Amino acid sequence: MSQPSQSRALVIVNTNFCSSDGDVVLGTRKGAKREAEQLSNVLSRLNYKVKLMHNKTAKEIEDLYQEECCREHGEYFVSIISSHGEEGVIFGCDSEPVKLTRIFQILSSEKCPVLTKIPKIFFIQACRGGQFDQGVVVECDSGEPEPECEPDCFSDYLSIPPQTVVMFACSPGYVAFLNVFGSMFLQALLKVLKGEERHLALNRLMTRINWEVAFCCQARGTYEGCKEMPCFVTNLLQEVFPFS
């Protein structure tokens, strides 16, 4: 009797960025490579077949997802993207943008039938704007703060194909923090995957990551006191346990 296919994980980490003429446009992302390697090792121990890719151009990133449409998949497909970004966009190492809607389109039922019924889980470590989150006081007697204008990201959410979950490192319009030791978001993911929380249903696991980042992480140095708030969107039809 043949063995069932392993679940697959695609990890893409961009650390060095140049434009087409060789100019350095975006800053080097120190700490991101080691963090991605740690996550790849943990996923391997959780019985995922992991493909770890470093410093890929925008075109190469799209090609990597196209290749997944031709692979044999197990119960789940997990992808971690770590790069510079803006709302709805991540950047290749050539400083060219890749729209997240394009990635989701590649993996849609029409383009990728092999992944139609398989839960697709994305963790995206990238900025979604230039605002800095100063945090909030959880218990406060003052009035509600004035709402700030945020980018319209609802259309991006509508583009997420069925059976897909996307977790972002930060809220729309805000920066995602990274230092030489790693990022707030992916370090929290790493902690959860190494602990007993990995046995939780995915929505509870992601909520646990939210808690870890919100209450246990805070920027230091130049951005002393700034916070980060991950968020996720899901259109799964059932509870899943991808890391148990």
Side-chain angles (χ1 to χ4, degrees):
M1 186 171 66
S2 61
Q3 292 291 324
S5 299
Q6 271 184 292
S7 293
R8 292 180 57 82
L10 174 60
V11 181
I12 301 172
V13 54
N14 286 340
T15 54
N16 301 307
F17 299 81
C18 290
S19 63
S20 56
D21 55 9
D23 292 335
V24 177
V25 179
L26 300 168
T28 301
R29 302 179 65 248
K30 296 178 180 179
K33 179 181 177 182
R34 178 169 166 268
E35 181 175 69
E37 290 170 347
Q38 291 173 331
L39 283 163
S40 296
N41 290 336
V42 168
L43 287 170
S44 293
R45 292 199 294 271
L46 294 175
N47 203 33
Y48 278 81
K49 187 173 183 179
V50 182
K51 188 172 186 177
L52 172 60
M53 307 302 292
H54 296 278
N55 292 321
K56 294 301 175 182
T57 66
K59 175 63 166 58
E60 288 171 335
I61 290 172
E62 289 191 17
D63 289 345
L64 285 169
Y65 287 103
Q66 293 279 11
E67 291 170 9
E68 290 299 324
C69 299
C70 304
R71 308 288 188 194
E72 286 191 8
H73 289 266
E75 289 187 83
Y76 304 101
F77 171 69
V78 172
S79 188
I80 298 172
I81 304 174
S82 178
S83 188
H84 284 301
E86 295 175 352
E87 178 56 41
V89 165
I90 56 101
F91 288 100
C93 67
D94 54 353
S95 301
E96 292 297 318
V98 181
K99 289 187 176 181
L100 294 177
T101 51
R102 173 58 182 153
I103 294 174
F104 301 148
Q105 181 186 46
I106 291 171
L107 300 181
S108 66
S109 299
E110 294 77 15
K111 303 284 186 181
C112 185
V114 71
L115 282 172
T116 297
K117 296 181 180 180
I118 295 173
K120 296 165 281 292
I121 304 160
F122 288 85
F123 297 94
I124 300 177
Q125 167 59 37
C127 292
R128 303 179 70 188
Q131 297 182 61
F132 290 91
D133 189 343
Q134 302 298 328
V136 296
V137 177
V138 177
E139 295 182 5
C140 182
D141 291 328
S142 62
E144 291 293 319
E146 290 295 321
E148 294 185 19
C149 293
E150 292 185 347
D152 179 14
C153 57
F154 191 62
S155 58
D156 288 339
Y157 293 166
L158 291 177
S159 72
I160 295 172
Q163 288 292 85
T164 302
V165 181
V166 184
M167 187 169 197
F168 299 93
C170 55
S171 302
Y174 287 89
V175 301
F177 289 102
L178 171 77
N179 60 33
V180 295
F181 302 107
S183 64
M184 293 182 183
F185 175 56
L186 293 185
Q187 286 298 308
L189 172 60
L190 196 59
K191 180 179 178 180
V192 167
L193 293 184
K194 287 181 176 179
E196 290 303 309
E197 296 96 336
R198 71 181 184 276
H199 298 298
L200 295 171
L202 184 60
N203 62 326
R204 293 187 62 198
L205 181 145
M206 289 181 162
T207 302
R208 178 65 188 181
I209 293 171
N210 280 355
W211 186 92
E212 284 285 343
V213 176
F215 287 96
C216 301
C217 299
Q218 184 170 291
R220 298 180 180 178
T222 304
Y223 306 108
E224 179 74 38
C226 287
K227 304 288 286 184
E228 186 174 299
M229 189 63 245
C231 56
F232 61 90
V233 58
T234 175
N235 58 15
L236 291 180
L237 301 177
Q238 70 283 331
E239 284 192 327
V240 297
F241 301 79
F243 307 114
S244 182

